[in-house]
Amino acid sequence: MIAYGDNIKVFCGNSNPAFAQTICNELGIKLGQSTVRTFADGEASVSLEETVRGADVFLVQSTCKPVNDHLMELLVMIDACRRASAGRITAVIPYFGYARQDRKAKSRDPISAKLVANMITAAGADRILTMDLHAAQIQGFFDIPVDHLLGNPTFVKYYLDKFPEDKFNHDDFVVVSPDVGSVARARAFATKVHMGLAIVDKRRQKANVCEVMNVIGDVQGKTCILYDDMVDTAGSLCNAANALVEVGGAKEVYACATHGVLSGPAFDRIQNSAIKELVFHNTIPMPENCPCDKIKMLDVAPIFARAIAHVHGGTSIADLF
């Protein structure tokens, strides 16, 4: 059942307008007219330039860097739509920032992911559409429905096309989890591409600095595919890739992750690492002149467009998995 007729509206903030435009192209509609700007003192300001009264509104905004600016833009956009009498508001957040702060790692730590979830709900969002949360239980931080898309199927198709089983012996390939916390994610991926599984054991000394200890599993002479949900400073990923070659004796290393946050020295680390190719989804925009020629982007906007069509029509999104 379509709850809001054909009156669907898609708006975007400043985080990834090209992504939102692709979604609209897939849906066959125009991107909503709005202005999202910043005052001289840094305040976010939103002006909706068309009616949203009674409409099924989708606000596309990744909370990537600058995280706080883009998060505030999203909150103000939600409030603007609510005050303009939108029928339903769905926050489409391809990359959900603050997701790594999902628990108290030590005394007196905040649980910032829960705080952000509360803020989005309080602003007036009716539901959330996102992809590959750093921790799946973050869905429970929201008191509104959350549709959690997976980047796994896109990577499965990419690597099965790149290394088809009729031309490559998949016994010579291994999917590698860069840390113990990502094992479940890597195992699910390995099962779908019919490859073995290995784990890089590491000890993190402090934030964004890690020491690789050893490789669990047989990677000797094999092609490895490192699989993770996000890459920030790329320290963990590059150390894992180097360990696979230097410690495990791997033949070559590929890598993929849903979200390319890529902060600080990330590009230099990737360029100088043992990684042959690193594939991301375009949930976070890449710099126009990417300084690393090893990086490749896969477009998941069509997947979000299909999910939006299902949400708008009140039908199951199970076929997207």
Side-chain angles (χ1 to χ4, degrees):
M1 182 182 74
I2 299 177
Y4 301 94
D6 294 327
N7 197 13
I8 180 173
K9 303 272 188 178
V10 176
F11 295 90
C12 71
N14 291 323
S15 69
N16 201 346
F19 191 88
Q21 184 60 63
T22 303
I23 288 176
C24 291
N25 293 343
E26 291 287 328
L27 292 172
I29 62 175
K30 290 184 178 180
L31 183 63
Q33 296 298 307
S34 64
T35 301
V36 182
R37 61 185 184 276
T38 304
F39 289 130
D41 63 352
E43 290 183 6
S45 174
V46 172
S47 297
L48 301 179
E49 296 165 5
E50 58 185 84
T51 181
V52 296
R53 185 176 297 273
D56 196 6
V57 176
F58 294 84
L59 303 176
V60 181
Q61 177 84 329
S62 279
T63 50
C64 52
K65 59 185 177 185
V67 179
N68 296 333
D69 290 350
H70 288 152
L71 174 60
M72 198 64 206
E73 283 181 10
L74 176 61
L75 296 175
V76 175
M77 289 169 67
I78 293 171
D79 185 70
C81 291
R82 176 62 64 208
R83 294 178 186 277
S85 302
R88 180 175 64 177
I89 303 169
T90 301
V92 181
I93 312 173
Y95 167 70
F96 181 75
Y98 284 100
R100 285 171 286 181
Q101 300 184 48
D102 63 324
R103 66 194 184 282
K104 293 184 69 171
K106 62 182 187 298
S107 299
R108 296 175 294 280
D109 271 3
I111 304 180
S112 304
K114 171 59 176 170
L115 172 62
V116 172
N118 288 345
M119 292 166 64
I120 292 172
T121 304
D126 294 299
R127 64 187 305 125
I128 303 295
L129 177 60
T130 188
M131 175 174 276
D132 278 354
L133 291 168
H134 186 64
Q137 63 266 25
I138 292 175
Q139 297 173 76
F141 290 0
F142 291 90
D143 295 323
I144 55 178
V146 176
D147 289 309
H148 185 213
L149 302 178
L150 302 177
N152 183 313
T154 309
F155 288 131
V156 169
K157 182 180 184 307
Y158 176 77
Y159 283 108
L160 286 179
D161 289 343
K162 188 179 185 70
F163 303 114
E165 292 184 87
D166 59 345
K167 294 182 180 179
F168 294 88
N169 183 359
H170 279 204
D171 290 337
D172 296 330
F173 288 77
V174 180
V175 172
V176 182
S177 172
D179 55 48
V180 176
S182 300
V183 171
R185 184 184 297 110
R187 182 185 292 117
F189 176 64
T191 300
K192 291 184 178 181
V193 293
H194 313 126
M195 298 176 184
L197 179 68
I199 304 166
V200 175
D201 180 35
K202 70 181 182 184
R203 180 175 300 166
R204 187 180 295 275
Q205 306 296 341
K206 56 183 179 179
N208 293 329
V209 177
C210 69
E211 179 184 354
V212 174
M213 302 301 291
N214 54 21
V215 178
I216 303 171
D218 180 20
V219 299
Q220 181 71 42
K222 296 186 178 183
T223 297
C224 297
I225 302 175
L226 278 162
Y227 182 73
D228 209 351
D229 67 314
M230 64 183 295
V231 176
D232 189 356
T233 60
S236 297
L237 190 75
C238 293
N239 286 343
N242 294 337
L244 288 172
V245 174
E246 297 167 8
V247 178
K251 177 183 175 183
E252 55 186 3
V253 180
Y254 293 83
C256 60
T258 300
H259 309 297
V261 180
L262 302 178
S263 304
F267 289 110
D268 288 338
R269 285 175 173 174
I270 294 167
Q271 190 66 36
N272 297 324
S273 73
I275 297 172
K276 188 172 183 179
E277 179 188 74
L278 175 54
V279 183
F280 291 117
H281 289 148
N282 61 338
T283 54
I284 297 174
M286 194 61 58
E288 202 165 300
N289 297 312
C290 181
C292 179
D293 58 14
K294 294 183 178 182
I295 293 175
K296 180 173 182 177
M297 305 295 288
L298 299 181
D299 188 8
V300 290
I303 296 176
F304 276 87
R306 289 173 60 193
I308 288 172
H310 282 299
V311 170
H312 176 63
T315 56
S316 172
I317 66 169
D319 66 318
L320 298 179
F321 303 108

